[in-house]
Amino acid sequence: MRLMRTEEAVGQVLCHDITRIIRGVTKDAVFRKGHVIREEDVPVLLSVGKDHIYVWENDESMLHEDEAAEVLRQICQGEHMRATPPKEGKIELIAERDGLFLADTERLFAVNSLGRMMIATRPSGVPVKAGDKLCGVRVIPLVIEREAMAQAQAVAGSRPLTRLAPIRAKRYGVVTTGNEVFHGRIPDTFTPVLQEKLGEYGCEMAAHEICDDDHRRIAAAIRRMLDGGAELVLCTGGMSVDPDDRRPLAIKNSGANIVTYGAPVLPGAMFLLSYMEDGRPVCGLPGCVMYARRTIFDLVLPYLLADVPVTREMLAGLGNGGLCLNCGECHFPNCGFGKWR
């Protein structure tokens, strides 16, 4: 590109959008990239503070900001996403369906560390709706070397940096445990909470059993639900260290492989996660899920419904951001809770 006085640029081709901002009214381009400057355009350009402008000079070694943004778009875009047209050198990715948004934070950091280019995403691990904005990309200068963008592609690798894993409504079972509920001493107030939470994702409760604190009966109930086709089993009644709490033993004896018993999240430290050999999750839910608005279960549930494996390492990483502040007005998931790394 070449710098010229605006009054001398009639007939030249703009190499970038010219933006006008009127506070509280508009922020948009008055002239788009590629516009051929006319005599009547000069006063408009001067009115937006453009005494000098850049005009296009073709150079095969360089990429215009829109072309460079397209490279970053290719680096990021996964399935179930659409890209907006370039505007002022920026491209955004939009969700085409509901799902769990995931970003490879290590590769994202590597690309952003190159400088002169940027990729900004939603926090990885949050559920999104169709139409939600997922990611925005652009380069900082108006033009950038092709070699620099090739380096970005090499650093990013062949897989998209972002992913939208479809969330699927599942049939689930609930095993309500505890002598106090089994013998009718108190009502079961836990199951309605789970029905409400999973109902937000369109899930249907396929089975419900109330068991006493006998770990053999709890394990048998879990197996019956799985044999009956439940895709997810949730055990309620608490996961404390109380001697009467035999739920962890029951889950283990059901044949599930325990990923973790405990997570660095408050509320939700006593959460238990396990998977059957066929990949179906079995969870032991701490009592906080019944009374706290947001807990570890809200962080993990979208992964379970999207069939994205939850690992011990991922749960360990939740400690950074794992403290819910129980705000007077809850804005989850648009808050810091669970925004690890």
Side-chain angles (χ1 to χ4, degrees):
M1 59 186 176
R2 180 160 55 99
L3 183 66
M4 295 188 68
R5 284 175 47 83
T6 299
E7 291 94 334
E8 299 171 358
V10 174
Q12 300 293 328
V13 179
L14 281 173
C15 65
H16 62 95
D17 293 348
I18 302 293
T19 302
R20 174 166 54 191
I21 302 174
I22 302 175
R23 185 171 182 270
V25 178
T26 185
K27 177 186 181 292
D28 204 356
V30 288
F31 299 111
R32 296 289 185 189
K33 178 199 75 161
H35 177 75
V36 178
I37 300 171
R38 303 164 298 178
E39 192 74 45
E40 59 267 32
D41 298 334
V42 172
V44 179
L45 290 166
L46 294 174
S47 73
V48 294
K50 302 300 179 183
D51 291 346
H52 297 80
I53 57 172
Y54 287 108
V55 296
W56 184 252
E57 284 188 323
N58 193 28
D59 184 343
E60 292 300 324
S61 69
M62 307 294 286
L63 288 177
H64 183 271
E65 61 177 354
D66 285 354
E67 297 169 304
E70 176 63 19
V71 174
L72 294 176
R73 191 277 306 164
Q74 293 172 358
I75 286 173
C76 292
Q77 186 172 2
E79 291 184 321
H80 314 298
M81 305 176 190
R82 64 175 176 85
T84 63
K87 182 177 180 182
E88 300 176 358
K90 179 177 68 176
I91 297 176
E92 295 177 338
L93 297 179
I94 310 297
E96 290 188 316
R97 62 167 298 162
D98 296 357
L100 174 68
F101 175 71
L102 299 166
D104 189 317
T105 55
E106 292 184 3
R107 291 190 292 141
L108 176 65
F109 177 82
V111 173
N112 281 331
S113 295
L114 295 175
R116 299 191 299 158
M117 62 190 74
M118 54 77 60
I119 301 170
T121 75
R122 279 177 176 258
S124 182
V126 298
V128 298
K129 297 289 188 182
D132 283 350
K133 188 186 301 184
L134 305 176
C135 173
V137 304
R138 70 170 303 162
V139 294
I140 307 305
L142 292 173
V143 294
I144 192 170
E145 300 87 353
R146 289 179 182 271
E147 183 181 348
M149 301 313 299
Q151 184 182 7
Q153 290 174 307
V155 167
S158 58
R159 293 179 292 108
L161 282 181
T162 65
R163 175 185 173 196
L164 186 60
I167 287 177
R168 183 172 60 85
K170 293 188 175 184
R171 300 173 70 250
Y172 64 95
V174 176
V175 182
T176 300
T177 66
N179 287 337
E180 66 277 23
V181 179
F182 181 78
H183 293 293
R185 299 167 189 158
I186 64 170
D188 173 19
T189 56
F190 210 140
T191 301
V193 171
L194 295 180
Q195 289 179 286
E196 182 179 354
K197 283 187 180 292
L198 279 92
E200 295 176 4
Y201 295 97
C203 298
E204 174 189 356
M205 186 168 69
H208 179 217
E209 291 192 34
I210 300 177
C211 297
D212 61 11
D213 288 318
D214 186 322
H215 66 88
R216 291 163 297 187
R217 290 175 179 163
I218 298 171
I222 294 171
R223 288 193 293 266
R224 278 194 296 273
M225 291 181 182
L226 294 168
D227 291 343
E231 299 168 279
L232 166 67
V233 176
L234 306 172
C235 297
T236 74
M239 295 294 296
S240 71
V241 294
D242 188 285
D244 288 330
D245 191 347
R246 312 305 299 278
R247 296 156 192 83
L249 177 62
I251 292 172
K252 180 180 179 181
N253 289 346
S254 72
N257 298 310
I258 295 178
V259 175
T260 184
Y261 178 21
V265 176
L266 291 173
M270 305 303 289
F271 174 72
L272 187 151
L273 173 67
S274 68
Y275 289 95
M276 304 301 293
E277 289 295 336
D278 60 9
R280 286 182 290 177
V282 178
C283 299
L285 303 183
C288 62
V289 176
M290 177 176 61
Y291 64 82
R293 282 182 297 185
R294 298 298 177 182
T295 69
I296 178 68
F297 187 54
D298 296 283
L299 303 181
V300 171
L301 180 58
Y303 284 83
L304 303 181
L305 299 182
D307 294 318
V308 175
V310 177
T311 65
R312 188 181 185 89
E313 291 73 23
M314 174 208 151
L315 289 170
L318 286 174
N320 179 27
L323 177 63
C324 177
L325 299 180
N326 193 29
C327 302
E329 183 178 356
C330 181
H331 296 285
F332 181 85
N334 298 317
C335 67
F337 182 48
K339 305 306 184 290
W340 62 303
R341 289 200 296 184

